[in-house]
Every structure is written in structure tokens, then in C-alpha cells.
Amino acid sequence: MFLMNACWDQTSNALTVPERMSKTLSHAGVAVTITNITDIMSFAIGCFNFREGLNPGNLVTNDHYIAKYFADIKHFLKIGPQLHVAILNPPDLTQLAEREKVLNVVEAFENTTYTLGREGTVFFMLEYLNYLNDLNVDVDGSAKLWDAKLYSWIKNTGGSTQWNSNIRINETSRTIEAFRFQVAMKDFVEPNDHKQAAKLLREIADRQPFNITIYHEAFPFADQYLIILPATIQNVAISLLCMTIVSIMLVPSLPSGFVIFCSIVSINIGVFGFMTLWGVNLDAVSMISIIMSIGFAVDLSAHIIYAFVTSQGDTKDRVIGALKTLGWPIFQVSNNLKSFIINILLRELLLQLREYPFYIQWMLTLF
């Protein structure tokens, strides 16, 4: 809008409206096209690579009532959240060697940095062994103890309701088709803990002799944290390549295209730097923001370089011509964006002061 207005003002008043419009679009058309193509591509790349696992804490303001819930839930993640471990092709439990393998699997999950140990494990087999020990029964004896007797115990024990939800039994053959156990976790608070724990526990599951699936409610978020860095690098590289190709195609100068590329890289380095300075984590929201910033970054660079390339005269004259054509529109755009950001920051500041006197509330309505 600012660019087209500036180009219109530079046309002669003696020309007809169609002639002025023609000259306006001949100057502003390429710049507007660059803006449209690069913005569409950057938005498409950001949206195409969006994945589930968004941190819900980023979806509400700090003063929202659910924000306190997200803060409080961390206290419960320090110790006690349950990891579900499912063995989908269980062995024949009547065989002592197979039972020992199952117990070794349980111990592998219990003895990690992020799990509590035996005291936090819920497993029907461990409870059944305790039951047999209380009866002074030789647990390594008759196979019936792990066949008919086990089936009867699962169905009639006081914890039968819980075991029914943890065990899938073929009622015809009375054999166990699959089962799960729970292991209590600890120090499972921050996003990095979720990422490291998910990675470690999945590696343990892959090393076991059975087909094992593990699950925790935080694993969808952990999946995001595991892929976010390589996905961001990949998407930034794709965006830079696309923006550079578009710039070289529409700006008739290879060195100018390289300058645009350097400008985009410089801007994104600044974005990453301020993210670190402000403590902004790399997640799906910030990744998409970075991708979109590439599209926005190329706009002003492409505009000013296109104006420079199409100007006449020596280098000084071309610089003056470019700034004369686009200096004021670029200044208008920059200040318009700054005003918008300042408005948001002031509104956020006033939201934090809502508990204070009535005139603060009145000031809030002004924004």
C-alpha cells in the first residue's frame, strides 16, 4: 500500500488516470509480486511443517486462570507420574526362563534416571509372586501355578478390576495375549526432561526381547521437542533457498540476489539471538514465527535492491533514486509495525496491572 502510493505520487499530474496507474504498477508491480510470493511461500512452509505437541502454556496469557494450572502441575511431575509399558507378545509364563526375561524387562525400566524404582511399580506378576510367597508356595514349581491358578487369581483377587484393565486374556484358551505394567517416574518436570526421558525409555524398549510399547501423557510434547531443532534447521534452509530463488528471478541481478540472501541470514541470526536473550524456547510457535520472519525479511530488502537495480546513473545516483522511490514507504511500514508492537506491549503491561486502582482499568480501555 505505501509503495504503490509513493509510486503514484511520483507520476505526473498531467497524465490520465490509466496512464498514471500503468506507470505506478510498472514500478511497484515487481516489488508487490515479490512480497506476495515470498509471504505465501513462508506461510506455507511454516504451516505445512506444523505438528501436534504444541505446549498448551503458550496458548494463554500469564494472568489466565489455566496458566496457574500449568504451573501447579509441575509440582506433581516431580515424582509419581505413571509410565505405561505394554508387552504385546507376552511369552509363556509357565516357563521359568520366560518369567525371568519379563522381570528383567521390568527392572530395565525401573533402574533409570527418570524412574522411581521397584517401590513405584504396579505389575500383576509382582503382586502374584508376593501372594505365592505369603502362602509359602514354591513359585518355581508346578506349571499350574502360572496357568489355571494364575487365571483364577486374576479373576477373583481383590485387585481383579485393576488387572482386568491391564491384561488381555483369551477366555477360550485362558491364555494371556497382552499385558501392561506401570512404572512411577521422577524428575519429569521441564520440557527437556520430557525429551530426554522419552528418548531414553524408548531406547530401553527397543532393546528388549519382546514387542513393547510405552506411553506417557507428555510424550506427544516430547516428540515435538525431539524433532523441533532438525525441523527448524530444515525449514529455515528451505525458506532461504525459496526466497533466494524468487529474488534472483524477479530482481535482474545475481549480485543483488546474493545481497538479499545475506540480509535474510543476518536478520534471522538476530532473531535467534534475541530468542536466547529473551528466554524464548524453540517450539512449534517460535519455529513458525522464524519461518514467517524470513518472508517478511525479504520484502524490504528486495524492494530497495530492485529500486537500486532499475535506477539510472552511477552508484550514488542509483542509491539516491532507490531511497527517493522507496525510502519513505519503507519508513512508513517500519513505523507502522513498531506502533503495532508497542501497542501490544503496552496492553500486556496493563493486563499485568489489573489488580491495581480503577484508573488502570480505565487506561486499559484506551488500548
Side-chain angles (χ1 to χ4, degrees):
M1 179 183 68
F2 294 121
L3 179 62
M4 294 182 68
N5 284 339
C7 291
W8 174 271
D9 290 337
Q10 292 173 19
T11 59
S12 174
N13 294 332
L15 299 176
T16 64
V17 172
E19 290 174 334
R20 296 185 70 183
M21 183 62 70
S22 175
K23 289 184 175 295
T24 296
L25 293 180
S26 69
H27 290 289
V30 174
V32 172
T33 302
I34 291 175
T35 297
N36 290 337
I37 294 177
T38 54
D39 286 352
I40 290 173
M41 292 179 70
S42 63
F43 273 87
I45 293 171
C47 294
F48 179 76
N49 289 278
F50 181 80
R51 297 174 181 264
E52 288 185 278
L54 184 65
N55 186 351
N58 293 335
L59 303 179
V60 296
T61 57
N62 293 334
D63 63 329
H64 196 278
Y65 70 90
I66 202 172
K68 189 174 187 302
Y69 163 78
F70 290 131
D72 292 341
I73 196 65
K74 291 185 177 181
H75 297 292
F76 297 94
L77 294 176
K78 290 181 179 178
I79 187 170
Q82 296 291 305
L83 171 72
H84 300 267
V85 182
I87 299 182
L88 304 181
N89 60 336
D92 182 5
L93 295 182
T94 63
Q95 303 295 320
L96 175 61
E98 297 300 322
R99 295 199 300 271
E100 290 179 346
K101 289 181 181 179
V102 173
L103 294 177
N104 289 335
V105 170
V106 176
E107 291 180 1
F109 283 101
E110 290 174 335
N111 301 321
T112 72
T113 307
Y114 296 100
T115 49
L116 193 59
R118 180 56 54 90
E119 61 181 304
T121 302
V122 178
F123 184 25
F124 79 92
M125 188 172 167
L126 296 177
E127 296 300 324
Y128 185 60
L129 287 171
N130 292 334
Y131 167 76
L132 295 178
N133 287 330
D134 290 340
L135 297 178
N136 293 321
V137 175
D138 181 11
V139 297
D140 298 332
S142 173
K144 292 183 179 180
L145 290 176
W146 298 95
D147 190 358
K149 181 66 176 178
L150 175 60
Y151 177 84
S152 175
W153 179 83
I154 292 174
K155 292 297 183 181
N156 301 311
T157 186
S160 59
T161 302
Q162 178 179 5
W163 304 139
N164 287 336
S165 65
N166 286 347
I167 308 171
R168 176 181 292 178
I169 297 179
N170 186 321
E171 296 296 340
T172 302
S173 62
R174 293 189 173 185
T175 57
I176 297 177
E177 296 181 338
F179 61 81
R180 70 173 177 178
F181 60 90
Q182 291 86 30
V183 178
M185 303 186 69
K186 64 179 181 179
D187 300 327
F188 194 66
V189 180
E190 300 299 332
N192 190 60
D193 299 330
H194 301 169
K195 179 182 72 173
Q196 297 299 335
K199 184 178 179 180
L200 172 64
L201 294 169
R202 285 170 177 169
E203 290 175 352
I204 293 175
D206 292 338
R207 293 198 298 264
Q208 304 311 313
F210 310 115
N211 182 12
I212 293 179
T213 298
I214 63 174
Y215 176 77
H216 185 273
E217 292 80 358
F219 279 4
F221 301 105
D223 290 332
Q224 170 197 323
Y225 307 139
L226 287 169
I227 61 94
I228 195 66
L229 181 58
T232 300
I233 295 174
Q234 173 186 331
N235 295 337
V236 168
I238 294 174
S239 297
L240 286 172
L241 178 62
C242 293
M243 301 306 108
T244 303
I245 291 174
V246 171
S247 300
I248 293 175
M249 290 177 60
L250 297 179
V251 178
S253 171
L254 185 60
S256 298
F258 178 74
V259 171
I260 294 174
F261 172 80
C262 293
S263 176
I264 298 173
V265 171
S266 174
I267 291 173
N268 278 273
I269 290 174
V271 171
F272 281 112
F274 273 103
M275 284 178 59
T276 303
L277 182 64
W278 291 338
V280 178
N281 293 331
L282 184 61
D283 56 20
V285 173
S286 58
M287 180 185 72
I288 293 176
S289 300
I290 293 169
I291 301 304
M292 291 190 297
S293 72
I294 295 177
F296 293 135
V298 75
D299 292 346
L300 303 184
S301 303
H303 292 338
I304 199 71
I305 290 178
Y306 176 76
F308 174 82
V309 171
T310 55
S311 297
Q312 303 297 323
D314 58 18
T315 301
K316 181 178 179 180
D317 292 335
R318 297 172 77 181
V319 170
I320 294 174
L323 293 178
K324 180 180 177 182
T325 303
L326 292 178
W328 180 241
I330 289 175
F331 178 80
Q332 289 175 307
V333 171
S334 301
N335 280 276
N336 187 52
L337 180 60
K338 290 176 183 177
S339 299
F340 176 73
I341 294 175
I342 291 173
N343 188 17
I344 293 176
L345 293 176
L346 288 175
R347 181 173 177 83
E348 180 66 21
L349 175 62
L350 291 176
L351 284 173
Q352 302 299 326
L353 299 175
R354 289 193 308 176
E355 301 177 0
Y356 291 87
F358 173 77
Y359 69 87
I360 296 293
Q361 299 287 336
W362 174 76
M363 291 178 61
L364 182 60
T365 61
L366 299 179
F367 294 91

